[in-house]
Amino acid sequence: MIRLAEKKDLNTIQDIFNKAKIFMRNDGNMHQWNGNYPSDEILLNDISNNNLYVCYSEDLIYAVFYFYIGVDETYNYIEGSWPNNEEYGTIHRIASNGLRRGVFEEVLSFAKIKISNIRIDTHEDNKFMREKLEKNNFKYCGIIYINDGSPRRAYQYIVEE
């Protein structure tokens, strides 16, 4: 099940991100989510704006993700092109504790109910996420640049009518 994250979930959420960082490093992704990213400040802001969600079963939170419908400023410039310029939802900062399979598909199903265009980006070194995106019919659209200027591979999914 999926619900909005709450402030009381912050320690569990940070634990999930720490486990995801270990997974990424072990998978050869040494440059994404370095240091204390995402910080408590970023996550609390996401929570207060109702953009941070958790996946849970009974009382156990096993995954977290950001979801927002509207313009994401980092997607305004792309070296490539988007399939359309219709309203879209954005998934960011998706992470799990590694104890449950199918988390990405669960998040995608949630997002598809909300909107028919979904955008996401990932680091070049994040082979695991790139494979998930391709397996789930996301179209590679080009390169975008996040706030610190580093490049990310950008993708879009269009729900079939």
Side-chain angles (χ1 to χ4, degrees):
M1 294 185 283
I2 294 176
R3 66 167 171 80
L4 283 167
E6 301 173 14
K7 288 180 184 178
K8 67 178 179 141
D9 302 325
L10 189 59
N11 288 337
T12 302
I13 289 168
Q14 282 293 18
D15 184 53
I16 289 169
F17 278 114
N18 289 331
K19 287 177 176 151
K21 288 178 194 181
I22 291 167
F23 175 84
M24 286 193 288
R25 300 305 174 263
N26 290 337
D27 197 44
N29 183 354
M30 304 301 185
H31 305 290
Q32 190 175 2
W33 295 357
N34 285 324
N36 73 337
Y37 183 86
S39 66
D40 286 352
E41 180 182 356
I42 288 170
L43 296 173
L44 289 170
N45 186 56
D46 290 347
I47 290 169
S48 68
N49 289 322
N50 293 322
N51 296 130
L52 197 67
Y53 294 84
V54 294
C55 301
Y56 69 99
S57 177
E58 297 168 12
D59 287 335
L60 174 68
I61 296 172
Y62 56 85
V64 60
F65 65 98
Y66 170 99
F67 183 70
Y68 173 75
I69 295 174
V71 174
D72 183 316
E73 297 295 323
T74 59
Y75 293 161
N76 286 344
Y77 172 78
I78 185 169
E79 292 173 358
S81 65
W82 298 110
N84 63 50
N85 289 314
E86 295 173 18
E87 185 177 43
Y88 60 91
T90 302
I91 299 170
H92 284 307
R93 295 190 285 283
I94 182 171
S96 86
N97 63 10
L99 299 177
R100 189 171 180 130
R101 299 180 65 84
V103 168
F104 184 81
E105 291 76 11
E106 183 178 356
V107 170
L108 180 57
S109 291
F110 170 85
K112 286 176 2 182
I113 291 169
K114 306 278 186 193
I115 194 158
S116 60
N117 282 310
I118 301 163
R119 293 182 182 178
I120 192 169
D121 63 86
T122 194
H123 195 281
E124 176 73 27
D125 293 342
N126 196 336
K127 292 176 276 195
F128 179 82
M129 181 57 72
R130 288 173 48 198
E131 288 171 7
K132 283 284 184 191
L133 294 170
E134 290 163 17
K135 178 182 170 194
N136 285 282
N137 301 315
F138 275 78
K139 179 183 182 223
Y140 173 71
C141 300
I143 301 294
I144 58 104
Y145 295 88
I146 61 172
N147 292 336
D148 70 4
S150 59
R152 294 291 184 270
R153 295 176 62 87
Y155 297 80
Q156 185 164 325
Y157 179 92
I158 301 171
V159 177
E160 298 296 324
E161 300 284 328

